[in-house]
Amino acid sequence: MHHFYLRYLYKRDTILATLSVFAVIWMLSLIPLNTSILNPFKTALKDLDFNDIAYSVLNKNAGTPFDNRIIIINIGNADRIGLAGMIEKIRNAKPKVIGLDVVFHAAQEPIPDSLLRNMIQTTPNLVMASYINWKDKNNNDQEKENTGYFGAVSKNRGYANFIGEDGGTIRTFSPSEQINGKKCLSFPIAILSIADQELVDKMEQRKKEFEVINYSRKEEQYMIIDGAALLEDNIAPDFLKDKIVLMGYINPDPNNVEDKHFTPMNPNFAGKSIPDMNGIVIHANILSMILDGKYIGDIPVWLFWIITILIAWLHVALFMRYYIEEHIWFHLVAKLAQIFFAVLSVYIGIMFFKWFNLKIDTKISLIVIILAIDVIYFYEALAVWLHTKFGFITTFHSKTH
Amino acid sequence: MKRIQTLLVFLFISTGLLAQKPNSFLIYSVKGTVTVSEDDKSSKAQIGKLLNDRSKIIVGQNSLVSIICNENSLFSVVKPGTYNMTQFKDSCLVNKSSITSNYLKFIWNQLTTPKGSPEKNRKSYMNNLGAVSRTNISIWVDSRLDTINYYNGEFPISWKCYSDVTEFDFQLLDDTKPVFQKNIKGATFINIPDFSDKLKINQPYTWTLKAKDEENTETRILIKWDKPSYEKLVNRFIAAKNSPETEAEESFRLGFLLESARFYSEAYQYYKKASQLSPDMELYQKTLDAFKKDYHIE
């Protein structure tokens, strides 16, 4: 083995070629133009996370039981009078907290508005959804929380924004944001701050600007009650007691995409598809994650780069060996190694995600290995030139093709 | 060499023939009286009929015909008159940018799109709202104003607003092109004479309203009628009487019929006239008061 492979590990050329790979990556990152369009590989990977396979293909959370701590009320197309009626019924059932995941943009007719306003004002454990309007993302003074038409009368609010590309997959959320010096909570965190402040404190100790959502349940793994059934008193009196009740819009029709988003639970983890999860179910998943304390962690940046450099080093050593000693096999071995590592690294990433809720981004190491072959060609030319000009000692000088 | 010359001549002729390819028109929809004239033979315009450059169409009063040219562009004719189809060749033109120009624009846009990822700059990626939105329009417009026929006179387009907004944007559009815009502060109406000079006769316009920070209301239609057509309509209403009537009765009846035909400005004049001619008639006064209240006439 030593003869075959490891002896190339400590060669100066191997180490320099490995460093060149990262130098090239660094130089590419300095180009001010967004060159991703010229790179189909990068374009294809833009909204792809290999960890999504854990959900969509490997059924990471198959068999997760119903979360009976959270009840979702489907408000359907209820008007403001209907919503006021639902809130009244829910609050009479004494839940821990009620979250109304609706943004009311404007006034309507006076009587329904007045009814709903009164209901919001007199329900102290009701959390209303708002949204952050990032008018100018680089100018913090322009930031503001849009509280909607009933914002002035609602004591508890949380912004319902998720983090993700426009129309892209929702994988993360921001627990809180500072807006004009004021701390604003996200919708699920505002709900939890009423239901269980201790859990919010624990989460804040993690000091994360954003959290990866650990999706544990699909829509059908939550108790979803139709708003009409609630209004008709078809719910057992104690069913909602001490529960977290979320009021939101759910439409089981897959072709209805109102308030639906792409999530890693989507059966198609890459390529064109239709959004799969309503916003209220994503909020429910965030709540379940915090209630269970099952956060997604990530490895420290320094450790990530050490692992990536190690992977690159091992591959460059292997490539150098074949490049110099058995060039006829070089391309075949390189391609096989790339395929083998791609499959292995994705597998390791998924397993870490599944077993330890630890997220490892394997895309960078894949890019490094793909680049390594081209960099070896470049490094060879450079090393030979340095040898001719300055007497630089290199393995390439005498042995290569 | 001769073969090449023959080929070039053939290509030249073919290109010339293709360039002169006649337009083909398909009647897509018809309302009112529309006649087609081909080879001196007239027939009623029917949906699905194919016309060529030599065909003519005759559009009657209050009629509309929509035509698709070369399976590509749709246009409508509402103005009464006789038209040769060659007149519409401009409507057959489709604005096609070259593939090269579109590709270069796309590449440039992509290259100049700022780099970033949701994890590195979350604020730029927080535009996904996980909540359902309900109503971003606090303006209410009487459904009777969905279509307004207008000939002349004073009449306000009015609305109600349930929010505290006091500033509105009124927009009059010709197809999708704005022809008149006005920012209205502290009022919930706009008088039609304020912009009637921008209206072309017998051409349907759409109008829409927008309160600050809200979405536009649904578009509604406004048509300015020409004098002969309007007078013809009024004369038809006058002639439709079943029994002798006083001038006040006739005015009241005309007011009612014109209001039903959505000539609100003109109906108002007749209701007013009826009330002035018979001030003791309670029905006339009450109707006038209700009309003024409904349409917010001061």
Side-chain angles (χ1 to χ4, degrees):
Chain A
M1 184 69 182
H2 185 266
H3 175 74
F4 163 73
Y5 178 30
L6 288 184
R7 66 192 169 91
Y8 271 88
L9 270 180
Y10 307 106
K11 281 197 184 289
R12 190 167 61 165
D13 284 326
T14 306
I15 292 164
L16 288 176
T18 307
L19 292 176
S20 304
V21 171
F22 291 94
V24 168
I25 290 175
W26 176 70
M27 280 192 286
L28 287 175
S29 72
L30 293 180
I31 298 172
L33 294 174
N34 189 344
T35 53
S36 62
I37 185 61
L38 304 173
N39 183 347
F41 184 69
K42 199 171 171 186
T43 306
L45 292 183
K46 197 178 170 193
D47 192 35
L48 175 71
D49 189 327
F50 287 121
N51 293 317
D52 292 355
I53 298 171
Y55 291 109
S56 56
V57 180
L58 308 177
N59 296 321
K60 178 178 186 282
N61 294 299
T64 310
F66 271 81
D67 192 336
N68 57 13
R69 299 160 297 184
I70 299 166
I71 309 286
I72 298 174
I73 306 290
N74 181 10
I75 60 167
N77 293 314
D79 59 8
R80 294 183 184 195
I81 294 178
L83 290 173
M86 286 180 205
I87 295 170
E88 189 177 27
K89 296 274 181 193
I90 297 167
R91 76 179 188 184
N92 289 344
K94 297 190 176 19
K96 265 188 193 167
V97 58
I98 308 166
L100 180 57
D101 191 27
V102 182
V103 174
F104 299 94
H105 289 287
Q108 272 194 331
E109 288 169 67
I111 294 170
D113 280 0
S114 173
L115 265 173
L116 187 56
R117 188 184 298 112
N118 181 263
M119 202 54 68
I120 292 166
Q121 253 174 331
T122 56
T123 310
N125 60 341
L126 175 75
V127 177
M128 299 281 292
S130 64
Y131 65 97
I132 298 177
N133 195 2
W134 305 106
K135 276 191 176 167
D136 180 352
K137 287 142 197 166
N138 300 316
N139 184 354
N140 286 342
D141 292 339
Q142 298 289 317
E143 296 167 2
K144 65 170 187 179
E145 184 188 15
N146 194 322
T147 56
Y149 177 63
F150 295 108
V153 295
S154 60
K155 290 176 196 133
N156 312 302
R157 292 191 301 268
Y159 58 86
N161 306 58
F162 300 124
I163 303 173
E165 308 239 6
D166 288 347
T169 309
I170 304 297
R171 298 190 185 91
T172 49
F173 81 104
S174 155
S176 65
E177 291 289 343
Q178 287 287 334
I179 299 175
N180 298 329
K182 192 182 147 213
K183 185 181 177 185
C184 293
L185 299 177
S186 70
F187 183 63
I189 304 304
I191 288 170
L192 266 184
S193 66
I194 294 176
D196 194 339
Q197 179 62 40
E198 259 184 49
L199 287 171
V200 178
D201 294 340
K202 265 188 196 173
M203 195 200 65
E204 283 179 343
Q205 281 166 15
R206 289 167 55 80
K207 292 191 169 62
K208 294 249 182 177
E209 285 186 331
F210 64 89
E211 288 281 357
V212 178
I213 304 169
N214 187 358
Y215 285 94
S216 56
R217 292 166 179 88
K218 290 184 178 176
E219 191 180 301
E220 55 270 21
Q221 288 164 297
Y222 285 101
M223 298 291 285
I224 298 174
I225 309 291
D226 194 59
L230 182 78
L231 290 172
E232 288 162 12
D233 287 326
N234 288 338
I235 312 291
D238 284 346
F239 185 65
L240 302 177
K241 199 180 174 198
D242 293 331
K243 299 282 166 66
I244 294 171
V245 178
L246 301 178
M247 298 172 71
Y249 178 78
I250 287 181
N251 194 317
D253 179 359
N255 297 317
N256 181 319
V257 292
E258 187 180 2
D259 187 28
K260 264 191 186 159
H261 305 267
F262 289 101
T263 72
M265 306 283 251
N266 198 308
N268 296 338
F269 73 92
K272 291 182 173 66
S273 177
I274 50 169
D276 55 293
M277 195 177 278
N278 280 102
I280 192 71
V281 185
I282 300 178
H283 291 306
N285 268 288
I286 295 170
L287 287 167
S288 297
M289 172 181 84
I290 302 170
L291 288 168
D292 294 332
K294 286 185 177 171
Y295 297 97
I296 302 285
D298 44 19
I299 57 169
V301 179
W302 59 268
L303 183 60
F304 169 77
W305 281 108
I306 285 177
I307 293 171
T308 310
I309 291 168
L310 268 173
I311 290 166
W313 186 28
L314 288 170
H315 278 81
V316 171
L318 177 74
F319 297 159
M320 292 275 277
R321 191 262 177 197
Y322 277 93
Y323 191 87
I324 292 166
E325 291 188 6
E326 291 178 76
H327 195 82
I328 192 166
W329 298 110
F330 169 68
H331 286 284
L332 182 66
V333 169
K335 292 290 172 260
L336 286 174
Q338 282 175 342
I339 292 166
F340 176 74
F341 178 75
V343 175
L344 183 71
S345 69
V346 171
Y347 176 73
I348 291 170
I350 291 169
M351 286 300 120
F352 267 72
F353 192 58
K354 184 175 163 64
W355 290 336
F356 311 116
N357 285 330
L358 205 58
K359 199 174 173 188
I360 304 170
D361 188 359
T362 50
K363 270 191 288 187
I364 295 286
S365 44
L366 272 179
I367 291 168
V368 162
I369 290 161
I370 289 164
L371 268 180
I373 295 170
D374 295 306
V375 171
I376 286 173
Y377 278 107
F378 165 75
Y379 178 79
E380 181 200 12
L382 182 71
V384 170
W385 181 77
L386 286 171
H387 173 79
T388 320
K389 280 267 179 197
F390 308 105
F392 178 79
I393 299 163
T394 172
T395 326
F396 288 106
H397 170 62
S398 54
K399 287 191 168 183
T400 47
H401 59 108
Chain B
M1 189 66 189
K2 266 193 171 180
R3 276 185 185 174
I4 293 170
Q5 277 177 347
T6 315
L7 183 69
L8 282 172
V9 168
F10 174 75
L11 280 173
F12 181 75
I13 292 167
S14 308
T15 313
L17 284 171
L18 278 173
Q20 290 171 7
K21 192 183 165 195
N23 294 311
S24 104
F25 301 89
L26 175 87
I27 297 180
Y28 181 64
S29 73
V30 180
K31 275 180 190 167
T33 322
V34 182
T35 315
V36 173
S37 170
E38 282 175 315
D39 304 327
D40 296 329
K41 283 178 191 168
S42 292
S43 60
K44 191 183 160 192
Q46 287 177 315
I47 293 168
K49 185 169 179 61
L50 275 172
L51 308 174
N52 55 38
D53 284 337
R54 295 187 308 280
S55 311
K56 281 181 190 172
I57 52 165
I58 300 120
V59 181
Q61 289 289 348
N62 304 319
S63 303
L64 177 146
V65 59
S66 300
I67 296 167
I68 297 173
C69 181
N70 296 340
E71 299 178 3
N72 221 328
S73 54
L74 175 73
F75 61 92
S76 299
V77 185
V78 287
K79 195 177 173 182
T82 304
Y83 303 91
N84 286 318
M85 295 315 286
T86 46
Q87 285 177 253
F88 301 120
K89 65 181 178 192
D90 287 351
S91 303
C92 299
L93 295 175
V94 180
N95 182 21
K96 278 184 187 168
S97 300
S98 73
I99 289 176
T100 311
S101 128
N102 286 344
Y103 176 71
L104 290 174
K105 268 185 215 161
F106 168 70
I107 292 293
W108 179 251
N109 286 339
Q110 292 296 317
L111 287 173
T112 51
T113 302
K115 291 179 193 177
S117 69
E119 287 76 19
K120 283 178 189 154
N121 183 10
R122 68 183 188 285
K123 287 184 183 179
S124 297
Y125 292 89
M126 280 181 70
N127 302 320
N128 293 287
L129 182 65
V132 68
S133 294
R134 291 287 160 87
T135 317
N136 192 17
I137 301 169
S138 60
I139 296 172
W140 178 86
V141 182
D142 194 316
S143 60
R144 287 173 290 187
L145 298 182
D146 278 354
T147 302
I148 300 172
N149 287 315
Y150 177 79
Y151 168 57
N152 69 5
E154 288 276 330
F155 184 75
I157 291 177
S158 58
W159 58 91
K160 277 183 187 168
C161 181
Y162 293 121
S163 68
D164 300 330
V165 177
T166 54
E167 204 175 319
F168 307 92
D169 288 320
F170 175 85
Q171 206 176 35
L172 183 76
L173 303 145
D174 174 4
D175 197 5
T176 53
K177 264 191 310 192
V179 287
F180 175 78
Q181 297 181 70
K182 190 176 179 184
N183 180 257
I184 299 155
K185 287 179 184 165
T188 54
F189 67 89
I190 180 167
N191 281 311
I192 296 180
D194 288 356
F195 57 86
S196 61
D197 58 328
K198 313 271 186 232
L199 301 170
K200 287 182 193 161
I201 300 291
N202 294 330
Q203 183 172 324
Y205 290 85
T206 54
W207 59 273
T208 180
L209 280 162
K210 185 178 172 300
K212 205 180 169 195
D213 295 330
E214 292 186 9
E215 291 165 17
N216 279 313
T217 59
E218 283 176 15
T219 52
R220 292 169 169 83
I221 292 174
L222 176 65
I223 305 169
K224 187 177 181 181
W225 281 46
D226 63 313
K227 193 178 177 188
S229 307
Y230 172 71
E231 284 178 351
K232 194 177 165 188
L233 180 80
V234 172
N235 288 334
R236 213 175 75 214
F237 288 158
I238 291 169
K241 68 180 173 189
N242 291 327
S243 53
E245 56 189 6
T246 63
E247 194 182 348
E249 285 168 340
E250 185 188 72
S251 298
F252 184 76
R253 187 172 58 83
L254 284 176
F256 177 80
L257 290 171
L258 284 168
E259 187 186 354
S260 306
R262 297 172 184 258
F263 281 91
Y264 301 112
S265 171
E266 297 71 20
Y268 177 50
Q269 305 304 322
Y270 280 105
Y271 281 140
K272 249 194 338 193
K273 193 176 169 187
S275 178
Q276 282 162 359
L277 288 170
S278 285
D280 301 333
M281 191 67 161
E282 200 182 347
L283 172 70
Y284 297 168
Q285 191 55 49
K286 278 192 171 174
T287 306
L288 179 65
D289 289 346
F291 186 91
K292 284 167 79 174
K293 191 180 168 213
D294 284 356
Y295 298 108
H296 302 269
I297 298 170
E298 298 294 320

